[in-house]
Amino acid sequence: MTFLQRLKNERIGYVSAIIAAMLFGSVSTITKPVLEDLNALSVSSLTYIIAGLSLIPFLKFSFTNSNSNSNSNDTLENTNNTLNKKRKWWTYNRKSYFLLLLTSLCGAVIAPSLFFYGLSNTSASDSSILINGEVLFSILLAIVFFNERLIRREIIALMLVLVGIVILTTNMQFLSSNSFVEFNIGNILIVGSTLFWALDNNISKILSKTIHIPKIIVLKTLIGGSLLFILTMIIFGIEVFEVNIVHIPYLVFAGSMGFGASLFFFLHSLKRIGTIKTILLFSTSSIFGMIFAKVFLNENITVYQIIAVGVILGGLYLIKR
């Protein structure tokens, strides 16, 4: 690959990461008004089904890393993905089916349900910042699952992310009668959703040894969305089909663009500029989320939010280094 080709390839990667961040950052702002009329479970199930359907055309797309600076671990992972891409669904073992169901429950049933319930009880700007807790929990769970070890700088980085989350979940408000902290229930639910998305990430990492990554994404979103759809209708008695025509464009955009297209551009960026640069740029979704919430929902941006997003992004920067 010539210098000019490499430069063009990197530019496309950077643009893809920024587009992914913008689209993902828009989810809270897009779905916040819908949650005033629809149940959070309805919004979760419909957006995930739409996201899964929108990603089907990209199942055969190759997301192997074309960056010439990729390390041996990236090369090994790319080789596994190339082999898994050709595998048929009936060749998977029982463990793979179990992990697929588990990651669907964690990442496409429990996590989005907690997220949208939390969003209905907090601001879109808060939710777009707190979603970064997924990185914190993903690393902590990786320590448990894969016996990974952290150096001192990484521990400091995780502490910064945690401090940012604490600032937002408490808004630094303390009860006057005692020393307990007054938590925002919506923010707590969103932090809980990031824990289950982190579980989803680690399970998917194990599952990617046998199933091609785009297949995992499509299958778990469709399986999880469908399960949640059935639970919403039958067990909880919520009428999913009672969706006003006004809500449809919001749900379609959130599912196909906020979740589906953002994931496509994220993976496309991984292919071109590698993991570290992609995740660093994708972390700016919090900033885009705050901007969208201010412009379209006229939400007030507080000093605590600015401090929290600065602390969290600083921690993420240290982690991604």
Side-chain angles (χ1 to χ4, degrees), residues 170 172-183:
T170 63
M172 302 304 289
Q173 294 179 0
F174 296 86
L175 299 178
S176 57
S177 59
N178 51 49
S179 60
F180 290 105
V181 181
E182 188 173 336
F183 290 102

Side-chain angles (χ1 to χ4, degrees), residues 7-150:
L7 184 62
K8 181 180 179 181
N9 191 54
E10 287 186 353
R11 284 179 178 175
I12 294 173
Y14 289 128
V15 171
S16 296
I18 294 297
I19 292 175
M22 290 179 65
L23 290 173
F24 187 68
S26 70
V27 171
S28 297
T29 300
I30 289 294
T31 55
K32 178 69 175 175
V34 180
L35 289 166
E36 295 178 1
D37 300 320
L38 291 180
N39 185 279
L41 296 180
S42 301
V43 175
S44 301
S45 61
L46 291 173
T47 51
Y48 262 66
I49 289 173
I50 293 169
L53 292 174
S54 67
L55 285 168
I56 289 177
F58 304 107
L59 271 175
K60 295 184 178 181
F61 189 86
S62 174
F63 292 105
T64 53
N65 196 340
S66 62
N67 184 7
S68 59
N69 295 323
S70 59
N71 58 32
S72 58
N73 289 332
D74 290 332
T75 304
L76 178 60
E77 186 172 338
N78 293 338
T79 303
N80 288 337
N81 279 323
T82 302
L83 294 173
N84 295 337
K85 181 180 177 181
K86 300 177 181 179
R87 292 190 63 175
K88 304 299 181 182
W89 64 269
W90 57 82
T91 63
Y92 304 141
N93 54 36
R94 291 183 179 180
K95 179 182 176 182
S96 297
Y97 288 121
F98 171 75
L99 290 176
L100 181 60
L101 178 60
L102 189 59
T103 193
S104 299
L105 290 173
C106 289
V109 175
I110 301 174
S113 298
L114 291 175
F115 174 79
F116 285 114
Y117 267 121
L119 179 58
S120 64
N121 290 281
T122 190
S123 65
S125 51
D126 267 8
S127 67
S128 63
I129 300 171
L130 287 171
I131 203 72
N132 285 300
E134 181 181 343
V135 176
L136 171 68
F137 290 121
S138 292
I139 294 174
L140 293 177
L141 289 172
I143 295 172
V144 176
F145 287 157
F146 306 111
N147 294 320
E148 295 188 10
R149 294 290 180 266
L150 299 179

Side-chain angles (χ1 to χ4, degrees), residues 237-296:
I238 301 172
E239 293 293 335
V240 179
F241 289 110
E242 289 185 0
V243 178
N244 193 303
I245 193 170
V246 178
H247 299 142
I248 294 177
Y250 294 94
L251 293 173
V252 171
F253 184 90
S256 62
M257 305 301 291
F259 287 115
S262 68
L263 189 54
F264 169 78
F265 282 109
F266 179 84
L267 293 173
H268 196 65
S269 179
L270 282 179
K271 173 185 176 182
R272 293 180 178 274
I273 60 176
T275 303
I276 296 174
K277 293 178 182 178
T278 297
I279 298 180
L280 272 175
L281 290 172
F282 187 73
S283 298
T284 60
S285 62
S286 297
I287 298 175
F288 286 115
M290 291 177 64
I291 295 172
F292 294 146
K294 177 62 178 178
V295 173
F296 296 106

Side-chain angles (χ1 to χ4, degrees), residues 161-308:
V161 175
L162 182 60
V163 167
I165 291 174
V166 169
I167 291 173
L168 274 188
T169 52
T170 63
N171 286 325
M172 302 304 289
Q173 294 179 0
F174 296 86
L175 299 178
S176 57
S177 59
N178 51 49
S179 60
F180 290 105
V181 181
E182 188 173 336
F183 290 102
N184 181 307
I185 185 63
N187 289 348
I188 294 297
L189 289 174
I190 289 176
V191 172
S193 73
T194 63
L195 172 60
F196 282 95
W197 267 318
L199 274 169
D200 168 29
N201 292 338
N202 281 278
I203 297 169
S204 295
K205 180 177 181 179
I206 300 172
L207 194 56
S208 65
K209 296 177 181 179
T210 54
I211 303 179
H212 189 42
I213 290 175
K215 285 183 181 179
I216 297 173
I217 295 168
V218 172
L219 286 172
K220 72 182 179 185
T221 51
L222 288 177
I223 292 171
S226 300
L227 286 173
L228 193 55
F229 184 88
I230 294 170
L231 288 172
T232 303
M233 288 190 63
I234 298 177
I235 297 180
F236 298 106
I238 301 172
E239 293 293 335
V240 179
F241 289 110
E242 289 185 0
V243 178
N244 193 303
I245 193 170
V246 178
H247 299 142
I248 294 177
Y250 294 94
L251 293 173
V252 171
F253 184 90
S256 62
M257 305 301 291
F259 287 115
S262 68
L263 189 54
F264 169 78
F265 282 109
F266 179 84
L267 293 173
H268 196 65
S269 179
L270 282 179
K271 173 185 176 182
R272 293 180 178 274
I273 60 176
T275 303
I276 296 174
K277 293 178 182 178
T278 297
I279 298 180
L280 272 175
L281 290 172
F282 187 73
S283 298
T284 60
S285 62
S286 297
I287 298 175
F288 286 115
M290 291 177 64
I291 295 172
F292 294 146
K294 177 62 178 178
V295 173
F296 296 106
L297 301 179
N298 197 29
E299 290 187 357
N300 291 324
I301 305 301
T302 67
V303 175
Y304 292 128
Q305 288 176 323
I306 295 173
I307 294 173

